[in-house]
Amino acid sequence: MSSFDFLMQGLVTASDPMLLLYALIGVTIGTAIGVLPGIGPALTVALLLPVTYRLDPAGSLIMFAGIYYGGMYGGSTTSILLNTPGESASIITALEGNKMARKGRGGPALATAAIGSFVAGLIATLLLAFLAPHVVKLALVFGPREYFALMVLAFVTVSSAFGDSTLRGLTSLFLGLGLACFGIDQLTGQARMSFGVPDLLDGIEVTTLAVAMFAVGEALAIAALGNVGDDKVHAVKGSVWMSRADWSRSWKPWLRGTFIGFPIGAMPAGGADVGTFLSYAAEKKLSKHPEEFGHGAIEGVAGPEAANNASAAGTLVPLLTLGLPTTATAAIMLAGFQQFGLQPGPLLFVTNPELVWGLIASLLIANAMLLVLNLPMIGLWVKLLTIPKPWLYAGILLFATLGTIGANPSTFELGMLLVFGLVGYGMRVFGYPIAPIVVGLILGPMAEQQLRRALSISQGDWTVLLTSPISATMLAISAVALIVPLVMRMRGRGALLRQMAGDED
């Protein structure tokens, strides 16, 4: 069967009334949390992991994907009206969108963001549907050494991409890898690092760590900041619709943003942030009105918002085909697959095609839902910005606690939630990224298993990792991705020291 046939079957599956309800719930929650500053899709999916533990796997995963897409849509609202990005990928949108809102053109800015997101999401989801099977064919030739090399690439790129320091990213990663060693050894059945505590024999729960790090840690960090003052929301004046001139200046940036964001999102070190910056730079260079940039150019909203949403679909390519998360939200979604006993990768397309293609097809439906939800209901989303932060984050803490108790009614698990929440708060205070520790815990056991299998097959000869062209290439890319940022940082530090010495002379 062709990709088109599978996609049609997926649309039939996704059209089930119950799955449509899950998609609607997902995009509604996603838009709401995208609008609220500081609460991203990763935090929300982490909170819902324990709640969905006993629900239908297809419905839960469709809801998670809807939250991811909705969060990307909703983030533009606060960027444009409040100059406060709801999530990091909307930072660029704030540059031009808020300037348009200050000039009374908030309506067209929101419209080009919503329509651009719809166009990008539609094209990118179709690209996902038609490219995924080809990536799966490539992944089917992978053996243990290729999978281990792929895991190393994921570790290095995630550590380098998140946070300002590669060293801090690697420190966070190794914390996660250390936590992954707790519990029963997968190959020998021996207990490791359980310290005589029966609850540790099953290892550290990914759900507990994710909820603690993303939800509890974030709530504590916001509480520690205190009241930093209220931002002014710029009201939407006039029509929300776009003029003919706005349409003519927006449609090309929508397409360019889509084809910039999708491949960037699919790259191991990509993510939506990079795509939005590249799209903004491209639009500034290609625009017929470069003088408007920095003062409210509509192209500066249209292009980055399209790139932002296209990257969300791009992120699902390595996640579904290789089991490789490239963003924090993708890492939490990977944990969501695993809690239902599903392992994303090439075999998932063979063993559970209905779920995979139903999930992909549901993204097309969710995309249409988001367009309907965003433009007519903009007033409702803006009202969410009036929720007091103490209420909001107290609710998050309550929801995190109840969700953890519901999934695993154990005082020990509740204690772990508190301890990891405090660790997450400490990591935020000292500038350590959160995503690598979760990725280390999720992928660590898989990397260990594949490495030990490869060494068992080769009777302990580690050079077998370099004899495969695929694994050797991925390990070489990992080394480059690790070394280049460190060399660049050392060069920059050396240049700064020389400049300071010159100033003293």
Side-chain angles (χ1 to χ4, degrees):
M1 291 177 69
S2 67
S3 299
F4 181 78
D5 295 328
F6 280 121
L7 186 59
M8 289 300 104
Q9 282 190 357
L11 281 171
V12 172
T13 303
S15 299
D16 179 89
M18 202 64 204
L19 295 183
L20 287 175
L21 178 62
Y22 277 115
L24 181 61
I25 292 170
V27 296
T28 306
I29 294 174
T31 303
I33 59 96
V35 167
L36 293 167
I39 305 180
L43 187 156
T44 311
V45 176
L47 272 177
L48 290 173
L49 277 180
V51 179
T52 57
Y53 187 72
R54 291 181 176 85
L55 296 181
D56 172 47
S60 299
L61 293 169
I62 284 171
M63 183 168 68
F64 292 159
I67 289 170
Y68 193 13
Y69 263 40
M72 293 298 185
Y73 263 76
S76 62
T77 303
T78 40
S79 295
I80 292 168
L81 300 182
L82 193 62
N83 201 26
T84 305
E87 34 85 35
S88 60
S90 296
I91 291 171
I92 286 292
T93 308
L95 294 178
E96 303 297 332
N98 189 249
K99 296 286 195 309
M100 290 181 69
R102 288 173 187 271
K103 292 179 178 178
R105 282 176 45 77
L110 290 165
T112 193
I115 299 168
S117 296
F118 171 76
V119 171
L122 181 65
I123 296 172
T125 304
L126 291 173
L127 287 172
L128 164 65
F130 290 104
L131 284 179
H134 298 290
V135 181
V136 166
K137 287 178 184 176
L138 174 66
L140 284 172
V141 304
F142 281 17
R145 54 189 175 179
E146 286 84 9
Y147 268 112
F148 173 71
L150 182 67
M151 297 302 160
V152 172
L153 179 61
F155 292 149
V156 172
T157 51
V158 166
S159 303
S160 303
F162 290 96
D164 300 324
S165 166
T166 303
L167 185 60
R168 288 180 178 178
L170 287 170
T171 305
S172 176
L173 171 70
F174 277 99
L175 277 174
L177 292 175
L179 293 174
C181 294
F182 284 69
I184 302 290
D185 187 302
Q186 293 180 348
L187 296 183
T188 65
Q190 296 294 314
R192 301 188 302 191
M193 299 174 69
S194 61
F195 305 107
V197 180
D199 294 273
L200 286 176
L201 289 174
D202 289 333
I204 305 294
E205 284 287 338
V206 174
T207 305
T208 303
L209 181 75
V211 172
M213 286 287 170
F214 283 98
V216 178
E218 180 70 18
L220 294 175
I222 294 295
L225 287 175
N227 190 8
V228 293
D230 296 324
D231 294 300
K232 182 184 176 184
V233 179
H234 293 276
V236 180
K237 299 173 184 175
S239 173
V240 179
W241 205 238
M242 297 160 60
S243 66
R244 183 174 293 181
D246 291 333
W247 278 94
S248 66
R249 290 178 59 177
S250 294
W251 71 270
K252 286 181 181 177
W254 291 337
L255 296 178
R256 282 193 290 261
T258 302
F259 289 103
I260 289 173
F262 182 79
I264 294 291
M267 290 179 185
D273 304 10
V274 180
T276 55
F277 278 98
L278 290 176
S279 175
Y280 183 80
E283 294 312 319
K284 191 172 182 180
K285 189 174 182 180
L286 296 171
S287 176
K288 294 178 181 178
H289 309 277
E291 71 284 352
E292 290 187 20
F293 277 78
H295 304 285
I298 196 167
E299 296 93 337
V301 178
E305 273 303 302
N308 180 9
N309 283 268
S311 70
T315 298
L316 294 177
V317 175
L319 177 66
L320 293 176
T321 58
L322 303 172
L324 182 67
T326 58
T327 64
T329 310
I332 306 301
M333 286 182 69
L334 179 58
F337 274 96
Q338 290 180 343
Q339 82 170 359
F340 294 115
L342 301 167
Q343 180 55 52
L347 293 178
L348 188 64
F349 280 78
V350 178
T351 58
N352 217 325
E354 283 189 9
L355 185 144
V356 176
W357 287 102
L359 175 62
I360 293 172
S362 73
L363 297 176
L364 294 171
I365 297 169
N367 211 32
M369 288 179 176
L370 281 164
L371 186 65
V372 175
L373 278 173
N374 271 262
L375 282 178
M377 300 175 66
I378 189 64
L380 174 64
W381 303 125
V382 173
K383 285 181 182 177
L384 288 176
L385 298 171
T386 62
I387 298 175
K389 279 190 177 180
W391 295 10
L392 183 64
Y393 285 94
I396 287 173
L397 285 174
L398 177 65
F399 201 77
T401 307
L402 292 177
T404 303
I405 293 172
N408 195 341
S410 159
T411 52
F412 180 82
E413 208 67 31
L414 209 54
M416 296 282 278
L417 182 75
L418 176 60
V419 170
F420 286 136
L422 291 171
V423 171
Y425 167 66
M427 290 175 71
R428 282 174 170 82
V429 169
F430 293 103
Y432 285 84
I434 302 299
I437 191 172
V438 180
V439 170
L441 180 62
I442 294 171
L443 296 184
M446 294 164 58
E448 180 194 7
Q449 188 179 43
Q450 298 298 343
L451 174 61
R452 291 170 71 175
R453 280 179 179 172
L455 292 176
S456 297
I457 292 168
S458 65
Q459 298 182 345
D461 183 11
W462 63 270
T463 58
V464 71
L465 298 173
L466 304 176
T467 55
S468 163
I470 297 175
S471 64
T473 301
M474 285 192 284
L475 290 173
I477 294 171
S478 302
V480 171
L482 182 63
I483 294 168
V484 169
L486 294 174
V487 172
M488 296 295 288
R489 184 160 281 123
M490 289 174 65
R491 276 189 171 185
R493 191 172 296 171
L496 182 61
L497 289 173
R498 286 193 296 272
Q499 185 179 354
M500 290 171 66
D503 291 342
E504 288 177 1
D505 294 339

